[in-house]
């Protein structure tokens, strides 16, 4: 066994080094092509045209308040990121104005599972009581199902307090608890309104223009505007060049009057064509999310989706949940949600910052979105802590560039794992991809470090990108070893070579989008050491 592990590590390191060479060449080629096309922020006329749609001059038709803004930070959006950020900055003594389109309780089918790493961040922010009194359920790990087999993967929680675990709940209840807690602070003001544009003055974002419930147009000024308006953000276009991908859609159901095969665990079914998820969201309800590849799903109105769920999906559901699954379909409350993925590629803009899903998204298969958002808030809080005055926009913008580097260990690990696992878990007619999928299930079933390592990464407890790459290629090498034993025929050798090539083709593009240098060598980025501006 020791020899096998040594071989895995040696092979993985070799594959890892070769991968870096490939990524470096691709990055050089891409950079050269961009230079030839004249792409970039200054020369991108198309981007400037889009940006002008959601940025306005703050000097047109209105006199700025004398003596400077009465608000330190304007936050656009009061979802998980916005509400948590408002409370955090309010506790730090900042005067915060939060503008949210709809302050009634949200009703969503995602954002319902908080990983243990995210729960630890919740504790660090003093928000752990927001998962109390909402019938939240403790989550202790995952159960993986494939072709009638199953394996249980527990979170490595031995070193933590007994209260530390994942939590699953109704997303809206969780958000309302955080909004209510933020609103208790005297220096935090929550207001319902629709932000229509950012206000710009001499290249600096000075605040926002928004429309109240009564239709009144108002401008709110602050030295720092943080945009947290979610996955459907319209304002992100002014602060980054979004590259949004929609690999699939989730179809959501709520199952009642049934029990999961493994209590207090999330369940992942490696179904055909893509995964099915089950996890508790209250003491009496189980959320089911059926992944449907592509941007379109069968029609709900004419019954195509219900028929698809009954004929193609139901036979792959564990027997314990089959009856409740069919009953949920017949009940008719079928919800859908596009699964969006977007790497973090912001343009540092004086006076403004992007956060949450407006800034960075990954496939929700691994439930890592809230963990990333809460981790980002901790990083930003610590960066802003030594600053009393936020009015020097140029210096503040330069200083906050370090935010994009300091967030990388957690964010890039979870982002890369989510994208890679989704591609591995999806069924494919390609034999090499089938072998990779089978190898992943068997590798996780081995137990020991082969299961606790990946689960620690997934849960946000071990945000180490290098560890992720090592485990990913260990799976690939394990798959090749299965092919070559007992006899390495030419066909099996060829499939093994394509398996390694396919694994590289899955993970290296994701790493490239995340940024190789920022992900693996953050200390070499100048902003990593940037000191707070002198006041």
């Amino acid at each position: 066994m020791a020899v096998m592990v040594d071989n895995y590590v040696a092979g993985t390191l070799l594959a890892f080094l070769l991968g870096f060479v490939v990524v470096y060449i691709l990055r050089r080629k891409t950079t050269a092509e961009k230079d030839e096309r004249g792409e970039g922020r200054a020369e991108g006329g198309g981007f400037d045209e889009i940006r002008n749609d959601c940025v306005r001059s703050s000097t047109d038709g209105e006199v700025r308040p004398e003596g400077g803004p009465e608000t330190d930070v304007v936050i656009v959006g009061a979802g998980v990121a916005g509400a948590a950020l408002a409370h955090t900055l309010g506790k730090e003594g900042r005067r915060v104005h939060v503008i949210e389109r709809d302050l009634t309780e949200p009703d969503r089918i995602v954002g319902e599972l908080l990983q243990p790493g995210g729960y630890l961040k919740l504790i660090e922010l003093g928000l752990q009581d927001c998962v109390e009194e909402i019938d939240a359920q403790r989550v202790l790990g995952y159960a993986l199902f494939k072709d009638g087999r199953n394996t249980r993967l527990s979170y490595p929680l031995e070193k933590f307090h007994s209260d530390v675990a994942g939590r699953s709940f109704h997303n809206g209840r969780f958000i309302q608890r955080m909004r209510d807690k933020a609103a208790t602070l005297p220096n935090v003001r929550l207001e319902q309104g629709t932000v229509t544009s950012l206000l710009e003055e001499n290249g600096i974002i000075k605040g926002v223009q928004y429309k109240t419930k009564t239709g009144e147009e108002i401008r709110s000024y602050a030295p720092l505007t943080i945009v947290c308006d979610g996955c459907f953000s319209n304002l992100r276009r002014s602060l980054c060049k979004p590259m949004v991908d929609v690999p699939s859609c989730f179809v959501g159901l709520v199952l009642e009057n049934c029990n999961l095969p493994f209590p207090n665990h999330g369940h992942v079914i490696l179904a055909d064509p893509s995964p099915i998820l089950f996890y508790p969201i209250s003491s009496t309800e189980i959320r089911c999310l059926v992944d449907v590849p592509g941007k379109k799903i069968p029609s709900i109105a004419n019954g195509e989706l219900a028929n698809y769920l009954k004929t193609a999906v139901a036979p792959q559901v564990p027997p314990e949940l089959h009856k409740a699954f069919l009953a949920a379909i017949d009940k008719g409350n079928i919800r859908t949600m596009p699964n969006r993925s977007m790497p973090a590629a912001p343009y540092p803009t004086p006076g403004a910052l992007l956060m949450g899903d407006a800034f960075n998204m990954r496939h929700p298969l691994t439930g890592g979105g809230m963990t990333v958002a809460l981790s980002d808030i901790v990083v930003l809080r610590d960066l802003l802590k030594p600053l009393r005055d936020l009015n020097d926009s140029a210096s503040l913008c330069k200083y906050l560039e370090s935010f994009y580097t300091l967030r990388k260990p957690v964010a890039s690990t979870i982002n890369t794992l989510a994208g890679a696992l989704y591609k591995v878990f999806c069924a494919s007619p390609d034999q090499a991809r089938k072998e990779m999928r089978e190898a992943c299930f068997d590798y996780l079933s081995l137990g020991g470090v082969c299961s606790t390592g990946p689960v620690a990464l997934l849960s946000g407890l071990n945000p180490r990108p290098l560890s992720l790459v090592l485990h990913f290629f260990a799976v690939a090498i394990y798959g090749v070893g299965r092919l070559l034993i007992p006899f390495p025929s030419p066909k099996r050798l060829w499939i093994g070579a394509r398996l390694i090539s396919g694994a590289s083709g899955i993970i290296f593009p994701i790493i490239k989008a995340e940024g190789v240098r920022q992900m693996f060598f953050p200390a070499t980025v100048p902003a990593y050491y940037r000191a707070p501006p002198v006041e």
Side-chain angles (χ1 to χ4, degrees):
M1 183 64 186
V3 174
M4 186 181 298
V5 172
D6 288 342
N7 290 338
Y8 286 165
V9 173
T12 301
L13 288 173
L14 179 60
F16 182 60
L17 292 173
L18 290 174
F20 266 121
V21 174
V22 173
V23 171
Y24 177 76
I25 294 171
L26 289 173
R27 284 175 64 88
R28 288 290 297 272
K29 181 179 178 182
T30 303
T31 303
E33 289 173 353
K34 285 185 177 181
D35 291 342
E36 290 174 5
R37 293 195 302 264
E39 292 184 354
R41 187 181 185 191
E43 299 175 12
F47 170 71
D48 288 338
E49 291 174 7
I50 295 174
R51 189 173 188 273
N52 289 336
D53 291 340
C54 46
V55 176
R56 295 186 183 183
S57 169
S58 65
T59 58
D60 295 340
E62 184 172 316
V63 178
R64 291 281 303 280
E66 295 182 4
E70 297 180 356
T71 301
D72 296 315
V73 182
V74 168
I75 297 176
V76 182
V80 171
L85 182 62
H87 179 266
T88 300
L89 296 184
K91 277 206 315 179
E92 294 290 311
R94 308 288 183 186
R95 298 167 298 175
V96 181
H97 183 194
V98 186
I99 305 168
E100 163 59 37
R101 183 181 59 83
D102 185 359
L103 284 174
T104 59
E105 184 174 305
D107 183 15
R108 303 181 66 204
I109 64 171
V110 293
E112 298 172 318
L113 176 61
L114 181 66
Q115 298 286 2
Y119 183 72
L120 288 172
K121 296 299 178 183
L122 208 64
I123 294 173
E124 193 171 348
L125 295 171
L127 291 166
Q128 67 271 26
D129 57 340
C130 291
V131 296
E132 298 173 2
E133 300 178 6
I134 60 172
D135 200 15
Q137 303 298 297
R138 287 170 54 85
V139 179
L140 304 176
Y142 281 87
L144 206 58
F145 291 73
K146 184 180 185 297
D147 300 332
R149 298 176 293 153
N150 65 72
T151 184
R152 183 167 58 177
L153 311 171
S154 298
Y155 293 134
L157 300 173
E158 297 81 9
K159 297 179 181 179
F160 298 97
H161 186 273
S162 60
D163 186 53
V164 176
R167 293 291 192 281
S168 54
F169 38 68
H170 281 270
N171 171 268
R173 296 176 187 174
F174 178 54
I175 288 176
Q176 286 300 92
R177 287 277 288 167
M178 288 201 293
R179 287 174 178 174
D180 292 343
K181 186 160 186 177
T184 61
L185 299 175
N187 51 328
V188 174
R189 178 163 68 102
L190 268 73
E191 183 177 4
Q192 185 163 304
T194 302
V195 175
T196 55
S197 61
L198 300 175
L199 301 176
E200 183 178 358
E201 186 178 293
N202 300 322
I204 300 171
I205 301 300
K206 295 292 186 178
V208 300
Q209 179 166 302
Y210 66 100
K211 186 178 292 187
T212 66
K213 289 192 294 184
T214 60
E216 183 183 3
E217 292 275 359
I218 299 179
R219 293 183 173 188
S220 179
Y221 294 96
L224 181 60
T225 299
I226 303 178
V227 176
C228 309
D229 56 345
C231 61
F232 299 105
S233 171
N234 291 320
L235 299 178
R236 70 158 69 100
R237 297 177 300 169
S238 62
L239 303 173
C240 72
K241 192 173 182 180
M243 295 172 287
V244 180
D245 181 36
V246 183
S248 66
C249 296
F250 267 156
V251 176
L253 299 165
V254 174
L255 278 58
E256 299 173 329
N257 304 315
C258 64
N259 296 311
L260 289 165
F262 296 92
N264 300 107
H265 283 69
H267 291 56
V268 182
I269 318 300
L270 301 190
D272 187 359
S274 53
I276 308 168
L277 307 181
F278 295 94
Y279 52 87
I281 55 173
S282 75
S283 55
T284 60
E285 299 165 301
I286 294 171
R287 168 67 71 196
C288 170
L289 294 175
V290 179
D291 186 85
V292 179
K295 299 180 181 180
K296 293 184 178 181
I297 59 173
S299 171
I300 296 178
N302 62 16
E304 287 182 7
L305 183 55
N307 183 62
Y308 171 79
L309 293 174
K310 287 183 177 181
T311 58
V313 179
Q316 303 181 76
V317 170
E320 298 93 331
L321 303 172
H322 188 266
K323 183 178 179 181
F325 181 79
L326 293 176
I329 298 171
D330 291 334
K331 192 173 182 179
N333 187 22
I334 302 175
R335 307 275 302 281
T336 64
M337 176 78 179
N339 294 325
R340 294 167 176 249
S341 177
M342 185 184 79
Y347 294 119
T349 305
L353 198 68
L354 277 169
M355 294 282 287
D357 283 348
F359 169 51
N360 183 205
M361 294 180 282
R362 77 290 309 147
H363 195 285
L365 171 69
T366 58
M370 290 189 290
T371 299
V372 172
L374 295 170
S375 175
D376 284 353
I377 291 170
V378 170
V379 172
L380 182 62
R381 177 202 64 183
D382 293 344
L383 283 171
L384 294 178
K385 193 183 290 282
L387 302 180
R388 293 189 302 275
D389 184 10
L390 303 178
N391 284 289
D392 187 348
S393 299
S395 297
L396 180 62
C397 178
K398 189 174 180 64
Y399 170 59
L400 288 183
E401 286 181 20
S402 58
F403 167 75
Y404 303 120
T405 302
L406 295 172
R407 69 181 294 272
K408 277 294 179 180
V410 174
S412 61
T413 300
I414 292 174
N415 293 345
T416 304
L417 183 62
L421 269 186
Y422 178 69
K423 292 185 177 180
V424 171
F425 281 177
C426 285
S428 171
D430 181 71
Q431 186 61 36
R433 288 286 295 274
K434 287 182 180 179
E435 291 292 339
M436 182 69 177
R437 192 184 195 215
E438 185 72 27
C440 186
F441 180 88
D442 288 349
Y443 180 85
L444 293 171
S445 301
L446 290 174
V449 70
C450 297
S451 64
T452 58
V455 173
L457 292 164
L458 181 148
S459 61
L461 296 172
N462 178 25
R464 296 177 183 173
L466 183 57
S467 179
L468 165 61
V469 174
L470 290 173
H471 277 289
F472 188 79
F473 279 102
V475 171
I477 294 167
Y478 177 77
V480 173
R482 284 159 35 92
L483 285 167
L484 301 185
I485 297 174
F487 301 110
S489 67
K491 180 180 179 181
R492 287 171 171 264
L493 283 169
W494 173 241
I495 294 174
R498 288 200 295 115
L499 193 156
I500 294 293
S501 174
S504 301
I506 288 173
I507 198 168
F508 286 132
I510 303 173
I511 291 174
K512 181 184 174 184
E514 289 292 320
V516 175
R517 186 180 178 190
Q518 293 88 342
M519 189 170 173
F520 294 100
F521 311 106
T524 68
V525 180
Y528 188 83
Y529 298 103
R530 196 155 288 157
V534 178
E535 297 184 4

